């Protein structure tokens, strides 16, 4: 398995104020630490026009990390493709891929907020055709030795589309384990429908809320930081629609319930418990785990401690089950 | 006049470090491929602490709000050291001025509501029903007001209409010099002609001259020429050349002290 940390969104929030320049400096320092500790990946996240400066331009942010590291991969999770000119994006990504020795993973998603489309002069109705047209350009670049493409999706159709097109997915941390299991099967159906053998599939990924601790007070605090980190989705107006037997999570309208349900996805406890739950994900075909640690309210000493703790007590146990 | 360095494509980090080590005030990134200029500026930024980072931004290649967002990230990565060198590219002066206005309004510390000849921001498209009539581009830059300079075919006209300095390519006497008058030149790597060159630029009224190093030049040797001879020459009137031509102080031989 491969391990990363995310989602770096470089915010200055009402609950955890920070100078933006300090947030970008801190990210570079976290990246250097992660590289030293043996992590594989750092994941970034994008939104636009939000009060807290949620990172709106992932490739410059990725460049800042790639320029100070030597081994760590940097992924965009997810870059909102319909809002960009895909030809320029492909050129910028290709340049970063070359500069970094091939360490950029280009995760792309649709976006969902009207304001973000309107601010970039794009009709939200055009987001799917623009996404598909953009993917064709990025895929052509990927096919000629360019940047690997990942996709972000939570629903049947887009997950299957990702499988059909042969792109790995990074699942949201808000998806409970059973829903991930359902969607992995959907993705695999798409992969096979695309005429590919199942044993040649790429490793899939998932963000996971996790906090390694056996201290009940620290566990309580960590779960509260997870809660606080999902309050922003109420502010952003995100809804996770129903899929099959899995319920919708409407962060905008049913805020408390959606947040409480999502906090329950948190893996927390001893190293053995964390490893057990991560092995469950490995068993369903998820081999990239991005620890979702950049939580609203979590101070830097706590985050650094957790990054070190997971590296020391969890990574070694799962690294012996390496999947390329 | 102060001297800065043009960064060759793909060598931004190394050259920016050299510029900073030699006491130059700034560097220019992105004069090569305009699509990847911001990547180049980021690499120059994380390699340095103090130099100003000028980034060439060619207009007409992407929505200006997207470019403004990228510039703001750059400015936070380098903690307020960014200067934008807008290249008017294929745009005429009116369209260039409108795009420059969107960029600057986007980076200002109030929401943007722009309706110009080329751009309307936010667009107010019917399909984006819940979008408000103004937006705030965040994060804001680290610095109070990001400096903009103009270059390219429509630079003179767009510069006048935007009130921004145009980047000079020749040392032509500036009649009404602004506080900042940037220029771009290539040096030869030879002391006398380069002294004459920078002196001519200073006499013309240019305040910040970015020099391109000659192809194939030895970096350390040429940077020493710049920092020991050219930069001091134009930092004060009547520079006493004895300061740069006297014998170089001996290096420290190492700690040979015996206790």
């Amino acid at each position: 398995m491969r391990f990363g940390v995310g989602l770096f969104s470089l915010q200055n929030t009402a609950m955890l104020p920070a100078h933006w320049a300090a947030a970008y400096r801190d990210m570079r320092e976290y990246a250097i630490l992660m590289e030293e500790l043996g992590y594989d990946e750092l994941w970034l996240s994008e939104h636009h026009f939000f009060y807290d400066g949620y990172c709106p331009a992932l490739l410059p942010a990725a460049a800042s990390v790639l320029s100070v590291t030597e081994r760590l991969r940097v992924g965009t999770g997810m870059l909102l493709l319909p809002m960009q000119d895909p030809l320029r994006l492909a050129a910028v990504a290709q340049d970063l891929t070359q500069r970094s020795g091939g360490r950029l993973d280009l995760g792309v998603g649709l976006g969902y907020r009207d304001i973000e489309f309107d601010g970039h002069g794009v009709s939200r109705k055009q987001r799917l055709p623009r996404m598909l047209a953009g993917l064709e350009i990025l895929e052509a670049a990927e096919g000629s030795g360019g940047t690997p493409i990942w996709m972000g999706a939570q629903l049947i159709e887009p997950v299957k589309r990702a499988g059909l097109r042969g792109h790995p997915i990074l699942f949201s941390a808000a998806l409970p384990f059973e829903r991930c299991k359902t969607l992995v099967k959907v993705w695999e159906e798409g992969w096979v429908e695309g005429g590919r053998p199942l044993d040649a599939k790429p490793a899939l990924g998932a963000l996971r809320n996790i906090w390694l601790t056996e201290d009940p007070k620290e566990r309580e605090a960590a779960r509260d930081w997870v809660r606080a980190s999902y309050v922003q989705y109420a502010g952003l107006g995100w809804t996770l629609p129903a899929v099959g037997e899995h319920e919708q999570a409407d962060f905008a309208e049913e805020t408390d319930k959606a947040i409480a349900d999502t906090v329950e996805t948190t893996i927390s406890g001893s190293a053995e418990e964390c490893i057990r739950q991560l092995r469950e994900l490995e068993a369903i075909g998820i081999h990239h785990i991005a620890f979702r640690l950049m939580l609203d309210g979590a101070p830097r000493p706590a985050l650094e401690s957790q990054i070190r703790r997971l590296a020391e007590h969890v990574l070694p146990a799962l690294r012996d089950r390496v999947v390329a | 006049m102060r001297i800065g360095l043009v960064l060759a494509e793909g060598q931004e980090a190394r050259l920016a470090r050299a510029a900073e080590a030699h006491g130059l005030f700034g560097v220019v990134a992105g004069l090569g491929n305009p699509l990847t200029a911001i990547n180049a500026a980021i690499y120059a930024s994380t390699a340095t602490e103090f130099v100003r980072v000028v980034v060439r931004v060619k207009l007409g290649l992407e929505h200006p709000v997207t470019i403004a967002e990228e510039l703001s990230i750059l400015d936070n990565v380098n903690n307020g050291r960014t200067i934008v060198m807008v290249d008017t590219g294929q745009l005429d002066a009116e369209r260039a001025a409108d795009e420059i206005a969107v960029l600057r309004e986007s980076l200002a510390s109030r929401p943007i509501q722009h309706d110009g000849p080329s751009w309307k921001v936010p667009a107010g498209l019917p399909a984006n029903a819940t979008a408000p009539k103004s937006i705030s581009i965040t994060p804001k830059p680290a610095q109070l007001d990001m400096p903009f300079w103009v270059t390219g075919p429509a630079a003179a006209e767009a510069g006048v209409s935007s009130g921004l300095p145009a980047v000079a390519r020749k040392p032509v006497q500036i009649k009404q010099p602004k506080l900042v008058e940037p220029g771009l030149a290539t040096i030869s790597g030879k002391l006398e002609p380069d002294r004459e060159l920078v002196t001519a630029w200073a006499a013309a009224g240019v305040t910040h001259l970015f020099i391109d190093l000659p192809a194939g030049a030895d970096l350390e040797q040429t940077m020493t020429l710049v920092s020991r001879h050219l930069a001091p020459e134009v930092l004060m009137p009547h520079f006493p050349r004895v300061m740069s031509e006297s014998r170089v102080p001996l290096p420290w031989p190492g700690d040979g002290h015996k206790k």
Side-chain angles (χ1 to χ4, degrees):
Chain A
M1 293 182 88
R2 300 177 70 84
F3 294 92
V5 174
L7 286 171
F8 284 84
S9 45
L10 296 310
Q11 293 158 275
N12 166 15
T13 68
M15 296 297 167
L16 190 64
H19 193 290
W20 282 312
Y24 283 83
R25 178 206 59 197
D26 286 355
M27 177 170 67
R28 296 196 294 277
E29 291 177 358
Y30 279 126
I32 291 165
L33 175 67
M34 286 165 58
E35 192 163 80
E36 285 170 7
L37 294 174
Y39 284 90
D40 304 289
E41 301 158 354
L42 178 151
W43 289 90
L44 296 152
S45 176
E46 171 178 330
H47 271 297
H48 301 262
F49 318 137
F50 209 47
Y51 82 99
D52 59 11
Y54 203 119
C55 186
L58 297 191
L59 293 190
S64 73
V65 173
L66 292 167
S67 68
V68 298
T69 51
E70 293 177 354
R71 188 189 55 78
L72 194 71
R73 298 188 69 82
V74 178
T76 60
M78 296 294 156
L79 182 146
L80 305 179
L81 179 56
M83 295 172 204
Q84 302 236 2
D85 174 344
L87 287 170
R88 176 176 180 268
L89 177 66
V92 174
Q94 181 61 27
D95 179 59
L96 269 186
T97 296
Q98 284 174 353
R99 284 175 186 270
S100 67
R103 293 186 287 125
L104 177 67
D105 288 308
L106 189 59
V108 294
L110 269 177
Y112 58 90
R113 299 177 72 220
D114 282 7
I115 184 176
E116 298 187 0
F117 289 98
D118 211 55
H120 294 95
V122 173
S123 168
R124 182 175 164 159
K125 279 188 179 166
Q126 290 299 309
R127 65 178 186 157
L128 185 56
R130 285 179 66 96
M131 178 83 173
L132 297 176
L135 270 175
E136 285 192 12
I137 289 167
L138 297 180
E139 285 164 350
E142 182 187 31
S144 51
T147 316
I149 300 169
W150 285 68
M151 294 188 74
Q154 341 286 347
L155 303 177
I156 300 288
E157 278 294 309
V159 167
K160 191 162 184 180
R161 192 185 309 131
L164 203 56
R165 298 183 84 105
H167 302 307
I169 288 227
L170 182 73
F171 290 113
S172 162
L175 299 182
F177 174 78
E178 288 300 325
R179 187 156 168 164
C180 285
K181 200 170 167 182
T182 302
L183 291 175
V184 167
K185 283 186 183 152
V186 169
W187 184 91
E188 287 176 348
E189 284 168 21
W191 173 265
V192 171
E193 268 183 43
R196 305 174 188 92
L198 204 52
D199 59 7
K201 69 175 181 150
L204 303 183
L207 278 156
R208 287 292 93 182
N209 293 305
I210 189 166
W211 203 272
L212 167 54
T213 183
E214 294 184 67
D215 175 355
K217 284 188 177 169
E218 190 184 7
R219 180 173 181 271
E220 184 185 4
R223 284 170 60 91
D224 200 50
W225 299 332
V226 174
R227 175 199 62 78
S229 73
Y230 282 102
V231 171
Q232 74 185 338
Y233 291 107
L236 289 164
W238 187 52
T239 299
L240 181 61
V243 165
E245 71 272 24
H246 308 294
E247 285 183 8
Q248 92 164 1
D250 189 338
F251 288 81
E253 299 296 327
E254 298 177 290
T255 307
D256 292 344
K257 181 180 184 308
I259 290 173
D261 288 349
T262 309
V263 169
E264 292 310 313
T265 65
T266 306
I267 299 169
S268 183
S270 64
E272 292 71 27
E273 177 59 18
C274 293
I275 291 164
R276 185 188 69 76
Q277 292 199 44
L278 292 171
R279 282 192 170 141
E280 286 181 357
L281 288 160
E282 184 188 30
I284 62 169
I286 292 176
H287 299 284
H288 289 254
I289 300 292
F291 299 138
R292 185 173 176 273
L293 297 177
M294 296 297 123
L295 304 170
D296 201 2
R300 180 166 165 163
L303 294 176
E304 277 193 28
S305 165
Q306 188 61 204
I307 289 169
R308 289 178 188 279
R309 223 180 284 172
L310 287 164
E312 186 177 349
H313 300 290
V314 171
L315 267 58
L318 296 164
R319 279 198 172 285
D320 60 355
R321 303 157 73 89
V322 168
V323 174
Chain B
M1 185 177 80
R2 302 173 75 182
I3 291 182
L5 185 66
V6 173
L7 304 179
E9 201 167 5
Q11 299 179 58
E12 291 86 2
R14 184 173 76 98
L15 291 178
R17 269 189 218 107
E20 188 160 279
H22 281 269
L24 303 194
F25 88 96
V27 295
V28 183
L31 291 186
N33 183 351
L35 294 173
T36 58
I38 292 176
N39 284 349
I42 293 271
Y43 271 70
S45 295
T46 59
T48 54
E49 282 184 89
F50 306 110
V51 290
R52 298 300 294 256
V53 179
V54 184
V55 57
R56 200 257 300 231
V57 171
K58 191 168 182 178
L59 301 180
L61 299 179
E62 177 54 285
H63 194 290
V65 166
T66 298
I67 299 297
E69 291 176 324
E70 295 182 3
L71 289 172
S72 191
I73 302 305
L74 169 64
D75 201 54
N76 279 291
V77 167
N78 65 33
N79 197 17
R81 294 187 279 133
T82 307
I83 295 170
V84 183
M85 184 191 290
V86 174
D87 184 335
T88 57
Q90 305 300 311
L91 303 188
D92 61 30
E94 184 188 46
R95 291 172 65 208
D98 192 43
E99 198 156 315
I100 291 169
V102 175
L103 287 171
R104 297 184 76 199
E105 289 166 31
S106 295
L107 294 166
S109 290
R110 61 170 68 94
I112 177 173
Q113 186 180 14
H114 179 96
D115 196 352
S118 303
W119 294 104
K120 185 177 180 193
V121 179
L125 299 172
N128 306 329
T130 66
K133 293 192 186 313
S134 66
I135 52 172
S136 179
I137 282 87
T138 63
K140 292 301 177 191
Q143 59 188 310
L144 192 63
D145 186 18
M146 202 181 288
F148 273 66
W149 301 342
V150 193
T151 190
E157 205 181 332
V160 168
S161 62
S162 305
L164 301 172
V167 180
R169 302 277 177 162
K170 289 181 183 170
V172 178
Q173 189 68 40
I174 299 160
K175 288 176 186 157
Q176 291 181 304
K178 300 181 188 68
L179 281 177
V180 172
E181 292 285 358
L184 278 171
T186 302
I187 61 169
S188 66
K190 297 184 178 107
L191 177 59
E192 286 308 326
D194 287 341
R195 259 183 183 154
E196 282 179 29
L197 180 117
V198 296
T199 303
W201 277 95
V206 161
T207 57
H208 297 78
L209 181 67
F210 290 88
I211 54 169
D212 209 348
L213 301 182
D218 178 273
L219 181 62
E220 191 51 36
Q221 194 178 332
T222 314
M223 290 305 293
T224 300
L225 167 75
V226 173
S227 59
R228 185 169 299 158
H229 297 281
L230 305 185
E233 186 81 20
V234 290
L235 263 169
M236 66 178 285
H238 310 295
F239 169 65
R241 288 188 180 166
V242 63
M243 303 306 300
S244 54
E245 291 176 348
S246 68
R247 188 169 54 76
V248 176
L250 290 172
W252 185 45
D255 193 351
H257 175 72
K258 289 182 182 170
K259 291 175 186 173

